[in-house]
Coordinates of all heavy atoms in Angstrom, one line a residue:
A456 N -13.6 -2.5 10.2 CA -13.3 -1.2 10.9 C -13.8 -1.3 12.3 O -13.0 -1.0 13.3 CB -13.8 0.0 10.2
H457 N -15.0 -1.7 12.5 CA -15.6 -1.8 13.9 C -14.8 -2.8 14.7 O -14.5 -2.6 15.8 CB -17.1 -2.3 13.8 CG -18.0 -1.2 13.4 ND1 -18.4 -0.2 14.2 CD2 -18.7 -1.0 12.2 CE1 -19.3 0.6 13.6 NE2 -19.5 0.2 12.4
R458 N -14.5 -4.0 14.1 CA -13.8 -5.0 14.8 C -12.4 -4.6 15.2 O -12.0 -4.8 16.4 CB -13.7 -6.3 13.9 CG -13.0 -7.5 14.6 CD -12.9 -8.7 13.7 NE -12.4 -8.4 12.4 CZ -11.1 -8.2 12.1 NH1 -10.2 -8.3 13.0 NH2 -10.8 -8.0 10.9
E459 N -11.7 -4.0 14.3 CA -10.3 -3.6 14.6 C -10.2 -2.6 15.7 O -9.4 -2.6 16.6 CB -9.5 -3.1 13.4 CG -9.2 -4.2 12.4 CD -8.1 -5.2 12.9 OE1 -7.4 -4.8 13.9 OE2 -7.9 -6.2 12.3
V460 N -11.2 -1.6 15.7 CA -11.2 -0.6 16.7 C -11.5 -1.2 18.0 O -10.9 -0.9 19.1 CB -12.3 0.5 16.3 CG1 -12.5 1.5 17.5 CG2 -11.9 1.3 15.1
G461 N -12.5 -2.2 18.1 CA -12.8 -2.8 19.3 C -11.6 -3.6 19.9 O -11.3 -3.6 21.0
E462 N -10.9 -4.4 19.0 CA -9.8 -5.2 19.4 C -8.6 -4.4 19.8 O -8.0 -4.8 20.8 CB -9.4 -6.2 18.2 CG -10.4 -7.3 17.9 CD -10.0 -8.1 16.7 OE1 -8.9 -7.8 16.1 OE2 -10.8 -9.0 16.3
E463 N -8.3 -3.4 19.1 CA -7.0 -2.7 19.4 C -7.1 -1.7 20.5 O -6.2 -1.5 21.2 CB -6.5 -2.0 18.1 CG -6.1 -3.0 17.0 CD -5.2 -2.4 16.0 OE1 -4.9 -1.2 16.0 OE2 -4.8 -3.2 15.1
V464 N -8.2 -1.0 20.6 CA -8.3 0.1 21.6 C -9.6 0.0 22.4 O -9.8 0.9 23.2 CB -8.2 1.5 20.9 CG1 -6.8 1.7 20.4 CG2 -9.2 1.7 19.8
G465 N -10.4 -1.0 22.2 CA -11.5 -1.2 23.1 C -12.6 -0.1 23.0 O -13.4 0.0 24.0
L466 N -12.7 0.5 21.9 CA -13.7 1.6 21.7 C -14.8 1.1 20.7 O -14.6 0.2 19.9 CB -13.1 2.9 21.2 CG -12.1 3.6 22.2 CD1 -11.4 4.7 21.5 CD2 -12.7 4.0 23.5
T467 N -16.0 1.8 20.8 CA -17.0 1.6 19.8 C -17.1 2.9 19.0 O -17.0 4.0 19.6 CB -18.3 1.2 20.4 OG1 -18.7 2.2 21.4 CG2 -18.2 -0.2 21.1
I468 N -17.4 2.7 17.7 CA -17.5 3.9 16.8 C -18.8 3.8 16.1 O -19.5 2.8 16.0 CB -16.4 3.9 15.8 CG1 -16.3 2.5 15.0 CG2 -15.0 4.2 16.4 CD1 -15.3 2.5 13.8
G469 N -19.2 5.0 15.7 CA -20.4 5.1 14.8 C -20.1 4.6 13.4 O -19.0 4.1 13.2
R470 N -21.0 4.8 12.5 CA -20.7 4.3 11.1 C -19.5 4.9 10.5 O -19.3 6.1 10.4 CB -21.9 4.6 10.2 CG -21.8 4.0 8.8 CD -23.1 4.3 8.0 NE -22.8 3.8 6.6 CZ -22.8 2.6 6.2 NH1 -23.0 1.6 7.1 NH2 -22.6 2.3 5.0
P471 N -18.5 4.0 10.1 CA -17.3 4.5 9.4 C -17.6 5.1 8.1 O -18.4 4.6 7.3 CB -16.5 3.2 9.2 CG -17.1 2.1 10.0 CD -18.6 2.5 10.1
G472 N -17.0 6.3 7.8 CA -17.2 7.0 6.5 C -15.9 6.8 5.7 O -14.8 7.1 6.0
Y473 N -16.2 6.2 4.5 CA -15.1 5.9 3.6 C -14.5 7.3 3.1 O -15.2 8.2 2.7 CB -15.5 5.1 2.4 CG -14.5 4.9 1.3 CD1 -13.4 4.0 1.5 CD2 -14.5 5.6 0.1 CE1 -12.5 3.8 0.6 CE2 -13.5 5.5 -0.8 CZ -12.5 4.6 -0.6 OH -11.5 4.4 -1.5
V474 N -13.1 7.3 3.0 CA -12.4 8.5 2.5 C -11.6 8.3 1.3 O -11.7 9.0 0.3 CB -11.5 9.1 3.6 CG1 -10.8 10.3 3.1 CG2 -12.3 9.4 4.9
D475 N -10.8 7.2 1.3 CA -9.8 7.1 0.2 C -9.2 5.7 0.3 O -9.4 5.0 1.3 CB -8.7 8.1 0.3 CG -8.1 8.6 -1.0 OD1 -8.3 7.8 -2.0 OD2 -7.5 9.7 -1.0
S476 N -8.4 5.3 -0.8 CA -7.7 4.0 -0.7 C -6.3 4.2 -1.3 O -6.1 5.2 -2.0 CB -8.5 3.0 -1.5 OG -8.6 3.3 -2.8
Q477 N -5.5 3.2 -1.1 CA -4.1 3.3 -1.6 C -3.5 1.9 -1.7 O -3.6 1.1 -0.8 CB -3.2 4.1 -0.6 CG -1.8 4.3 -1.2 CD -0.8 5.0 -0.2 OE1 -1.0 4.9 1.0 NE2 0.2 5.6 -0.7
P478 N -3.0 1.5 -2.9 CA -2.2 0.3 -3.0 C -0.9 0.5 -2.2 O -0.3 1.5 -2.2 CB -1.9 0.2 -4.5 CG -2.6 1.3 -5.2 CD -3.0 2.3 -4.2
W479 N -0.6 -0.6 -1.5 CA 0.5 -0.4 -0.5 C 1.4 -1.6 -0.6 O 1.0 -2.8 -0.3 CB -0.1 -0.4 0.9 CG 0.8 -0.1 2.1 CD1 1.2 -0.9 3.0 CD2 1.4 1.2 2.4 NE1 2.1 -0.3 3.9 CE2 2.2 1.0 3.5 CE3 1.3 2.5 1.7 CZ2 2.9 2.1 4.1 CZ3 2.0 3.5 2.3 CH2 2.8 3.3 3.5
A480 N 2.7 -1.4 -1.0 CA 3.6 -2.5 -1.3 C 4.6 -2.7 -0.1 O 5.5 -3.5 -0.2 CB 4.4 -2.2 -2.5
M481 N 4.3 -2.1 1.0 CA 5.3 -2.3 2.2 C 4.9 -3.5 3.0 O 5.8 -4.1 3.7 CB 5.2 -1.1 3.1 CG 6.0 0.1 2.7 SD 7.7 -0.3 2.3 CE 8.3 -0.9 4.0
S482 N 3.7 -4.0 3.0 CA 3.3 -5.1 3.8 C 3.1 -6.4 2.9 O 2.2 -7.2 3.1 CB 1.9 -4.8 4.4 OG 1.9 -3.5 5.0
G483 N 4.1 -6.5 2.0 CA 4.0 -7.6 1.1 C 3.2 -7.2 -0.2 O 2.5 -6.2 -0.1
P484 N 3.4 -7.9 -1.3 CA 2.8 -7.5 -2.5 C 1.3 -7.7 -2.5 O 0.8 -8.6 -1.9 CB 3.4 -8.4 -3.6 CG 3.9 -9.6 -2.8 CD 4.2 -9.1 -1.4
G485 N 0.6 -6.8 -3.2 CA -0.9 -7.0 -3.3 C -1.7 -6.6 -2.1 O -2.6 -7.3 -1.7
T486 N -1.3 -5.5 -1.4 CA -2.1 -5.0 -0.3 C -2.8 -3.7 -0.8 O -2.2 -2.9 -1.4 CB -1.3 -4.7 0.9 OG1 -0.6 -5.9 1.3 CG2 -2.1 -4.2 2.1
L487 N -4.1 -3.6 -0.5 CA -4.9 -2.4 -0.7 C -5.4 -1.9 0.6 O -6.0 -2.6 1.4 CB -6.1 -2.7 -1.6 CG -7.0 -1.6 -1.9 CD1 -6.3 -0.5 -2.8 CD2 -8.3 -2.0 -2.6
L488 N -5.1 -0.6 0.9 CA -5.6 0.0 2.1 C -6.8 0.9 1.8 O -6.8 1.6 0.9 CB -4.5 0.9 2.7 CG -3.1 0.3 2.9 CD1 -2.2 1.3 3.5 CD2 -3.2 -0.9 3.8
A489 N -7.8 0.7 2.7 CA -9.0 1.5 2.6 C -9.1 2.3 3.9 O -9.1 1.8 5.0 CB -10.2 0.6 2.4
G490 N -9.2 3.7 3.7 CA -9.2 4.6 4.8 C -10.6 5.1 5.2 O -11.4 5.5 4.3
F491 N -10.9 5.1 6.5 CA -12.2 5.6 7.0 C -11.9 6.6 8.1 O -10.9 6.6 8.7 CB -12.9 4.4 7.6 CG -13.4 3.4 6.6 CD1 -12.6 2.4 6.1 CD2 -14.7 3.5 6.0 CE1 -13.0 1.5 5.2 CE2 -15.1 2.6 5.1 CZ -14.3 1.6 4.7
T492 N -13.0 7.4 8.3 CA -13.0 8.2 9.5 C -14.3 7.8 10.3 O -15.2 7.3 9.7 CB -13.1 9.7 9.2 OG1 -14.3 10.0 8.4 CG2 -11.9 10.3 8.6
A493 N -14.2 7.9 11.6 CA -15.4 7.5 12.4 C -15.3 8.3 13.7 O -14.3 8.7 14.2 CB -15.3 6.0 12.7
T494 N -16.5 8.5 14.3 CA -16.6 9.2 15.6 C -16.9 8.2 16.7 O -17.7 7.3 16.5 CB -17.7 10.2 15.6 OG1 -17.5 11.1 14.4 CG2 -17.7 11.1 16.8
V495 N -16.2 8.3 17.8 CA -16.4 7.4 18.9 C -17.8 7.6 19.4 O -18.3 8.7 19.5 CB -15.3 7.6 19.9 CG1 -15.5 8.8 20.7 CG2 -15.1 6.4 20.8
T496 N -18.5 6.5 19.8 CA -19.9 6.6 20.3 C -20.0 7.2 21.7 O -20.9 7.9 22.0 CB -20.6 5.3 20.3 OG1 -19.8 4.3 21.0 CG2 -20.9 4.8 18.9
D497 N -19.0 7.0 22.6 CA -19.0 7.5 23.9 C -17.8 8.5 24.0 O -16.6 8.0 24.2 CB -18.9 6.4 24.9 CG -18.7 6.9 26.4 OD1 -18.8 8.2 26.6 OD2 -18.5 6.1 27.3
P498 N -18.0 9.8 24.0 CA -16.9 10.7 24.0 C -16.1 10.7 25.3 O -15.0 11.2 25.4 CB -17.6 12.1 23.9 CG -19.0 11.9 23.7 CD -19.3 10.4 24.0
D499 N -16.6 10.1 26.4 CA -15.9 10.0 27.6 C -15.0 8.7 27.7 O -14.2 8.6 28.6 CB -16.9 10.0 28.8 CG -17.6 11.3 28.9 OD1 -17.0 12.4 28.7 OD2 -18.8 11.3 29.2
A500 N -15.2 7.8 26.7 CA -14.4 6.6 26.8 C -13.0 6.8 26.5 O -12.6 7.5 25.6 CB -15.0 5.6 25.8
E501 N -12.1 6.1 27.2 CA -10.7 6.2 27.0 C -10.2 4.9 26.4 O -10.8 3.8 26.6 CB -9.9 6.4 28.3 CG -10.2 7.8 28.9 CD -9.7 8.9 27.9 OE1 -8.7 8.7 27.2 OE2 -10.3 10.0 27.9
P502 N -9.2 4.9 25.5 CA -8.8 3.7 24.8 C -8.1 2.8 25.8 O -7.4 3.2 26.8 CB -7.8 4.2 23.8 CG -7.3 5.6 24.4 CD -8.5 6.1 25.1
V503 N -8.3 1.5 25.6 CA -7.6 0.4 26.3 C -6.9 -0.4 25.3 O -7.5 -1.1 24.4 CB -8.6 -0.5 27.1 CG1 -7.9 -1.6 27.8 CG2 -9.4 0.3 28.0
V504 N -5.5 -0.3 25.3 CA -4.8 -0.9 24.2 C -4.6 -2.4 24.3 O -4.5 -2.9 25.4 CB -3.4 -0.3 24.0 CG1 -3.5 1.2 23.8 CG2 -2.5 -0.6 25.2
D505 N -4.6 -3.1 23.2 CA -4.2 -4.5 23.1 C -2.7 -4.5 23.1 O -2.1 -4.1 22.1 CB -4.8 -5.1 21.8 CG -4.3 -6.5 21.6 OD1 -3.5 -7.0 22.5 OD2 -4.7 -7.1 20.6
P506 N -2.1 -5.0 24.2 CA -0.6 -4.9 24.3 C 0.1 -5.8 23.2 O 1.3 -5.6 23.0 CB -0.3 -5.4 25.7 CG -1.5 -6.2 26.1 CD -2.7 -5.7 25.4
K507 N -0.6 -6.7 22.6 CA 0.1 -7.5 21.6 C 0.3 -6.7 20.3 O 1.2 -6.9 19.5 CB -0.8 -8.7 21.2 CG -0.9 -9.8 22.3 CD -1.4 -11.1 21.7 CE -2.8 -11.0 21.1 NZ -3.9 -10.7 22.1
E508 N -0.6 -5.7 20.1 CA -0.6 -4.9 18.9 C 0.0 -3.5 19.1 O 0.7 -2.9 18.3 CB -2.0 -4.7 18.4 CG -2.8 -5.9 18.2 CD -2.5 -6.6 16.8 OE1 -1.6 -6.1 16.1 OE2 -3.2 -7.5 16.5
L509 N -0.3 -2.9 20.3 CA 0.0 -1.5 20.5 C 0.7 -1.3 21.8 O 0.6 -2.1 22.8 CB -1.3 -0.7 20.6 CG -2.3 -0.8 19.4 CD1 -3.5 0.0 19.6 CD2 -1.6 -0.3 18.1
T510 N 1.5 -0.2 21.9 CA 2.1 0.2 23.1 C 1.4 1.4 23.8 O 1.5 1.6 25.0 CB 3.6 0.6 22.9 OG1 3.7 1.7 22.0 CG2 4.4 -0.6 22.4
E511 N 0.7 2.2 22.9 CA 0.1 3.4 23.4 C -1.1 3.8 22.5 O -1.0 3.6 21.3 CB 1.1 4.5 23.4 CG 1.3 5.3 24.7 CD 2.4 6.3 24.6 OE1 3.4 6.0 23.9 OE2 2.2 7.4 25.1
A512 N -2.1 4.5 23.1 CA -3.1 5.1 22.4 C -3.5 6.3 23.1 O -3.7 6.3 24.3 CB -4.3 4.2 22.2
R513 N -3.7 7.5 22.4 CA -3.9 8.7 23.1 C -4.7 9.7 22.2 O -4.6 9.7 21.0 CB -2.6 9.4 23.4 CG -2.7 10.4 24.5 CD -1.4 11.2 24.6 NE -0.2 10.4 25.0 CZ 1.0 10.9 25.0 NH1 1.3 12.2 24.6 NH2 2.0 10.2 25.3
W514 N -5.6 10.4 22.8 CA -6.4 11.5 22.1 C -5.5 12.7 22.0 O -4.9 13.2 23.0 CB -7.6 11.8 22.9 CG -8.7 10.8 23.0 CD1 -9.0 10.0 24.1 CD2 -9.5 10.3 22.0 NE1 -10.0 9.1 23.8 CE2 -10.4 9.3 22.5 CE3 -9.7 10.7 20.6 CZ2 -11.3 8.6 21.7 CZ3 -10.7 10.0 19.9 CH2 -11.5 9.0 20.4
F515 N -5.4 13.3 20.8 CA -4.7 14.5 20.6 C -5.7 15.6 20.0 O -6.4 15.3 19.1 CB -3.6 14.3 19.5 CG -2.4 13.5 20.0 CD1 -2.4 12.2 19.8 CD2 -1.4 14.1 20.6 CE1 -1.3 11.4 20.3 CE2 -0.3 13.4 21.1 CZ -0.3 12.0 20.9
P516 N -5.7 16.8 20.5 CA -6.4 17.8 19.9 C -5.9 18.0 18.4 O -4.7 17.9 18.2 CB -6.1 19.1 20.7 CG -5.6 18.6 22.0 CD -4.9 17.3 21.7
V517 N -6.8 18.2 17.5 CA -6.4 18.2 16.1 C -5.5 19.4 15.7 O -4.8 19.3 14.7 CB -7.6 18.1 15.1 CG1 -8.4 16.8 15.2 CG2 -8.5 19.3 15.3
D518 N -5.5 20.4 16.6 CA -4.5 21.5 16.3 C -3.2 21.3 17.1 O -2.4 22.2 17.2 CB -5.2 22.8 16.7 CG -5.5 22.9 18.2 OD1 -5.4 21.9 18.9 OD2 -5.9 24.1 18.6
A519 N -3.1 20.2 17.8 CA -1.8 19.9 18.5 C -1.4 18.5 18.3 O -1.2 17.7 19.3 CB -2.0 20.3 20.0
L520 N -1.3 18.1 17.1 CA -0.9 16.7 16.8 C 0.6 16.5 17.0 O 1.4 17.5 16.8 CB -1.2 16.3 15.3 CG -2.7 16.3 15.0 CD1 -3.0 16.0 13.6 CD2 -3.5 15.3 15.9
P521 N 1.1 15.3 17.3 CA 2.5 15.1 17.5 C 3.3 15.2 16.2 O 2.7 15.1 15.1 CB 2.6 13.7 18.1 CG 1.4 13.0 17.5 CD 0.3 14.1 17.5
A522 N 4.6 15.4 16.3 CA 5.4 15.6 15.1 C 5.7 14.2 14.5 O 5.9 14.2 13.2 CB 6.8 16.2 15.5
E523 N 5.7 13.1 15.2 CA 6.0 11.8 14.7 C 4.8 11.2 14.0 O 4.2 10.2 14.5 CB 6.6 10.9 15.8 CG 7.7 11.5 16.6 CD 7.3 12.4 17.7 OE1 6.1 12.5 18.0 OE2 8.2 12.9 18.4
L524 N 4.5 11.7 12.8 CA 3.3 11.2 12.1 C 3.8 10.3 10.9 O 5.0 10.5 10.5 CB 2.5 12.3 11.6 CG 1.7 13.1 12.7 CD1 1.0 14.3 12.1 CD2 0.8 12.3 13.5
P525 N 2.9 9.5 10.3 CA 3.3 8.7 9.2 C 3.7 9.6 8.0 O 3.3 10.8 7.9 CB 2.0 7.9 8.8 CG 1.3 7.9 10.1 CD 1.6 9.2 10.8
P526 N 4.5 9.0 7.0 CA 5.0 9.9 5.9 C 4.0 10.4 5.0 O 2.9 9.9 4.9 CB 6.0 8.9 5.2 CG 5.5 7.6 5.6 CD 4.9 7.7 6.9
A527 N 4.3 11.4 4.3 CA 3.4 12.2 3.4 C 2.8 11.3 2.3 O 1.7 11.6 1.8 CB 4.1 13.4 2.8
Y528 N 3.5 10.3 1.9 CA 3.0 9.5 0.8 C 2.0 8.4 1.3 O 1.5 7.6 0.4 CB 4.1 8.8 0.0 CG 4.9 7.8 0.8 CD1 4.5 6.5 0.9 CD2 6.1 8.2 1.4 CE1 5.2 5.6 1.7 CE2 6.8 7.3 2.1 CZ 6.4 6.0 2.2 OH 7.1 5.0 3.0
S529 N 1.7 8.3 2.6 CA 0.9 7.2 3.1 C -0.6 7.7 3.3 O -0.8 8.8 3.7 CB 1.5 6.7 4.4 OG 1.3 7.7 5.4
I530 N -1.5 6.8 3.1 CA -2.9 7.1 3.3 C -3.1 7.4 4.8 O -4.0 8.2 5.1 CB -3.8 5.9 2.8 CG1 -5.3 6.4 2.9 CG2 -3.6 4.6 3.6 CD1 -6.2 5.4 2.3
S531 N -2.3 6.8 5.7 CA -2.5 7.2 7.1 C -2.4 8.7 7.3 O -3.2 9.3 8.0 CB -1.4 6.5 8.0 OG -1.4 5.2 7.9
R532 N -1.4 9.2 6.6 CA -1.1 10.7 6.7 C -2.2 11.5 6.1 O -2.7 12.5 6.6 CB 0.2 11.0 6.2 CG 0.6 12.5 6.3 CD 0.7 12.9 7.8 NE 1.2 14.2 7.9 CZ 2.6 14.5 7.9 NH1 3.4 13.5 8.0 NH2 3.0 15.7 8.0
W533 N -2.7 11.0 4.9 CA -3.8 11.7 4.2 C -5.0 11.8 5.1 O -5.7 12.8 5.2 CB -4.2 11.0 2.9 CG -3.1 10.7 2.0 CD1 -1.9 11.3 2.0 CD2 -3.1 9.8 0.9 NE1 -1.1 10.7 1.0 CE2 -1.8 9.8 0.3 CE3 -4.1 8.9 0.4 CZ2 -1.5 9.0 -0.8 CZ3 -3.7 8.1 -0.7 CH2 -2.5 8.1 -1.3
L534 N -5.3 10.7 5.8 CA -6.5 10.7 6.7 C -6.3 11.7 7.9 O -7.2 12.4 8.3 CB -6.8 9.3 7.3 CG -7.3 8.3 6.2 CD1 -7.2 6.8 6.8 CD2 -8.7 8.6 5.9

Side-chain angles (χ1 to χ4, degrees):
H457 283 287
R458 177 180 53 75
E459 287 289 347
V460 171
E462 288 175 3
E463 291 197 0
V464 290
L466 296 173
T467 56
I468 52 173
R470 183 175 173 76
Y473 174 77
V474 178
D475 210 340
S476 66
Q477 183 184 27
W479 188 251
M481 280 307 296
S482 313
T486 300
L487 177 66
L488 305 183
F491 292 83
T492 55
T494 306
V495 74
T496 51
D497 175 4
D499 295 323
E501 290 300 326
V503 179
V504 303
D505 173 359
K507 292 194 300 294
E508 307 273 8
L509 305 177
T510 57
E511 229 177 326
R513 197 190 298 173
W514 293 106
F515 289 91
V517 296
D518 64 351
L520 297 176
E523 304 85 3
L524 292 175
Y528 64 83
S529 68
I530 187 172
S531 300
R532 183 61 170 273
W533 307 342
L534 289 167

